[in-house]
Amino acid sequence: DTGVSQDPRHKITKRGQNVTFRCDPISEHNRLYWYRQTLGQGPEFLTYFQNEAQLEKSRLLSDRFSAERPKGSFSTLEIQRTEQGDSAMYLCASSLAEQGGNQPQHFGDGTRLSIL
Amino acid sequence: EDQVTQSPEALRLQEGESSSLNCSYTVSGLRGLFWYRQDPGKGPEFLFTLYSAGEEKEKERLKATLTKKESFLHITAPKPEDSATYLCAVQPWRGAQKLVFGQGTRLTINP
């Protein structure tokens, strides 16, 4: 069973640059989530897709952040004009929507972003 | 506002010394409560889902319980490989599918 895959694992960039992360969910999962985690804290929700539709966005997701999930498969998260405060681990998770069910979210190992 | 608080922030035990981790929550309506384990540099690994007060789930040396205001993760006779950060999260009925996480408990088991 292939888990959630994220690429790259690490990204170091200068302040003001744009970065893009990719997430490949578990193949049969139709729901995909992005979270952000800073040191010593739990993950914070950013956004959520069901198939290709982006159904919810957190207040944390400023205009510099954009996420897509073309064709309901992999997803990308882009951050434009990066700032020091964007340094964090960006986690992707996926789950299977079932009628009447509440399937757990399964996480990838994240992309660690460092802003110089 | 939905909120999760975990205690203690850090816990150091000797191998074989049983203990419990606490997760207190306030939520508008609880769809589910989740426990995850996270190793350094890795993503959270799913352990349990609890849905209603009185429910219990077990896996090896771990047992999770749920009341209307809190959940406990009991660790029986832990081993060094149980060392990790344990995260608790709630999924509210309101707010689609997002999880609201606590800050985690960092558990260290000394041999």
Side-chain angles (χ1 to χ4, degrees):
Chain A
D1 178 27
T2 303
V4 177
S5 176
Q6 292 189 246
D7 184 71
R9 292 296 316 280
H10 304 275
K11 180 70 176 179
I12 301 173
T13 192
K14 293 182 179 179
R15 184 167 52 91
Q17 298 294 305
N18 299 342
V19 293
T20 300
F21 312 140
R22 176 180 170 122
C23 171
D24 288 273
I26 294 171
S27 57
E28 64 270 24
H29 286 184
N30 52 358
R31 289 178 172 162
L32 187 146
Y33 315 79
W34 286 98
Y35 291 81
R36 180 172 68 188
Q37 185 176 27
T38 54
L39 201 61
Q41 300 299 314
E44 293 177 294
F45 171 79
L46 293 178
T47 191
Y48 148 68
F49 291 84
Q50 179 147 328
N51 300 313
E52 66 274 10
Q54 188 173 19
L55 297 184
E56 188 176 1
K57 291 195 289 187
S58 164
R59 293 189 304 272
L60 294 174
L61 213 65
S62 76
D63 291 344
R64 296 184 298 105
F65 287 70
S66 63
E68 295 182 342
R69 191 181 183 199
K71 302 179 182 178
S73 56
F74 72 92
S75 176
T76 58
L77 178 68
E78 181 183 16
I79 309 174
Q80 296 183 327
R81 306 181 303 282
T82 52
E83 300 174 357
Q84 292 284 350
D86 296 333
S87 294
M89 174 82 88
Y90 290 84
L91 292 163
C92 177
S94 69
S95 71
L96 181 63
E98 288 186 349
Q99 187 72 19
N102 192 25
Q103 296 302 312
Q105 297 176 23
H106 295 273
F107 285 80
D109 285 337
T111 294
R112 180 165 296 284
L113 174 64
S114 298
I115 307 297
L116 300 177
Chain B
E1 184 180 346
D2 304 317
Q3 196 167 4
V4 177
T5 303
Q6 293 187 244
S7 61
E9 290 189 6
L11 181 62
R12 190 178 293 270
L13 300 172
Q14 290 299 121
E15 183 173 1
E17 181 184 1
S18 302
S19 188
S20 296
L21 312 182
N22 177 263
C23 169
S24 297
Y25 64 91
T26 55
V27 65
S28 51
L30 183 68
R31 187 192 296 257
L33 185 141
F34 299 80
W35 282 98
Y36 286 85
R37 168 193 171 125
Q38 187 172 28
D39 292 302
K42 300 287 189 179
E45 176 188 348
F46 170 71
L47 294 173
F48 303 110
T49 309
L50 301 167
Y51 295 102
S52 57
E55 189 174 0
E56 298 182 354
K57 293 273 180 74
E58 279 190 72
K59 179 180 179 179
E60 297 181 354
R61 295 176 292 281
L62 301 176
K63 183 169 82 171
T65 61
L66 180 65
T67 73
K68 288 187 178 180
K69 293 186 177 181
E70 56 191 352
S71 177
F72 292 93
L73 185 66
H74 306 279
I75 303 176
T76 302
K79 298 181 178 181
E81 54 262 41
D82 294 323
S83 297
T85 295
Y86 289 86
L87 295 164
C88 172
V90 296
Q91 189 173 53
W93 277 107
R94 185 186 61 203
Q97 301 297 322
K98 72 177 182 182
L99 295 177
V100 178
F101 281 87
Q103 81 280 19
T105 293
R106 191 171 64 254
L107 177 66
T108 305
I109 309 298
N110 294 318

